[in-house]
Amino acid sequence: MNVLVINCGSSSLKFQLINSDTETVLAKGLCERIGIDGRLTYQPAGGEKTTEDKAMPTHTEAIQFVIDALTDEKRGVVGSLEEIGAVGHRLVHGGEKFASSAVITDEMLKAVEECNDLAPLHNPANLIGVDACKKLMPNTPMVGVFDTAFHQTMPEKAYIYGLPYEYYDKYKVRRYGFHGTSHSFVSKRTAEILGASYDNLKTIVCHLGNGASICAVENGKSVDTSMGLTPLEGLVMGTRSGDIDPAILEFLAKKEDMDITALMNMLNKKSGVQGMSGLSSDFRDLSAGADAGNKRAQTALDVFCYRVAKYVGSYTAAMNGVDAIAFTAGIGENDSYVREQVCKYLGYLGIEIDAEANKARGEEVMISTPDSKVKVLVVPTNEELAIARETVALV
Ligand code: AMP
């Protein structure tokens, strides 16, 4: 079956058409600047990548262009819409209502809408994409795959904040976690690579990209993860602060005369390694900067690696041990310096890294030595494939 995977934001829409039998990508692309002017980037497998300006006042036009490109006589990869068997939508927040992916129905969409308060930027945008797709493909089954669902197995002690309980009762203020599709995919793949039983393995997945989170997966279940009610909690990220003393907000509000919107904008968009270095949120720029003697770039790298190592330590404690650590996403898959620095803190776990193997970029590889007590791996994530698999399983 061919599955169209859609990841829809407020002004952009990423897509991949995946043949679920061969698990290959038939075509992929991106609609950008929806509601502004509009640009479509499209690439069929083995074909040329093209970018064209196209007016996209709403997501409906964007999805129509995607369908047109996929079914185009020359550059298309399917003969007609009928050859697309299902659509898998990435949905950010399923609150406590969704502990797994779900077939999209009117009732299901109502339940997702009820979670909009928890992700006011992301969920409404995701739902616009679903609506547009339903209009243009009314007979195609659709599935919603949630970023939060995998973490619904976290025990209460991991998700309740040290706040008055009434806020959980009234508003469901608790830790949810994100990147669930990736953490699930990578932890499963780690077990496969090790030839171990997924149901009997303690894995820590380090999803280190522009957004970054860590997840403790015990016997196939997420038992803790570093992001919280929102993706702002946890690790220091590209532009997000991660964990800070909440009292800093009051301090800065008074000193800099900032309101809550300005403070949140600063924490989400101007902090992290970008904020610390003043140079870039991209680790390639930070490494080049540090190599050239930029001290703040080096500090940003140091803080990032130290925070990752501390989380790995705390999740080892949470699970009373760890069998495997997997690095994934842009930084985890490509940045050998970060992996090496993080693992340097973990010698007490009996971890030994093979420096040669650790030079790998973007490929599945074991970077620990055969003697290492804990296996350390690079496992490229593939959220689109994971969404396609979930979709096929449900339709
Ligand atoms: P993601 O959010 O998973 O797409 O990751 C994006 C981030 O990965 C970028 O902002 C970079 O910091 C990092 N990244 C991508 N490629 C490399 C590379 N070759 N070396 C180091 N970092 C990289």
Side-chain angles (χ1 to χ4, degrees), residues 160-179:
I160 292 291
Y161 283 116
L163 292 171
Y165 200 83
E166 64 184 281
Y167 301 130
Y168 173 61
D169 273 343
K170 278 204 262 187
Y171 312 118
K172 295 289 169 217
V173 172
R174 51 158 280 180
R175 308 186 62 257
Y176 290 93
F178 297 86
H179 293 140

Side-chain angles (χ1 to χ4, degrees), residues 355-377:
E356 200 51 38
N358 188 38
K359 286 182 184 157
R361 273 174 197 274
E363 57 180 296
E364 229 171 54
V365 60
M366 180 93 70
I367 60 169
S368 52
T369 64
D371 290 340
S372 182
K373 288 210 181 89
V374 176
K375 302 298 168 207
V376 185
L377 305 88

Side-chain angles (χ1 to χ4, degrees), residues 175 204 214-216 224-227 310-322:
R175 308 186 62 257
I204 296 174
I214 302 205
C215 182
D224 208 343
T225 191
S226 57
M227 285 176 167
K310 284 206 297 184
Y311 262 99
V312 170
S314 68
Y315 288 171
T316 303
M319 295 192 289
N320 191 19
V322 58

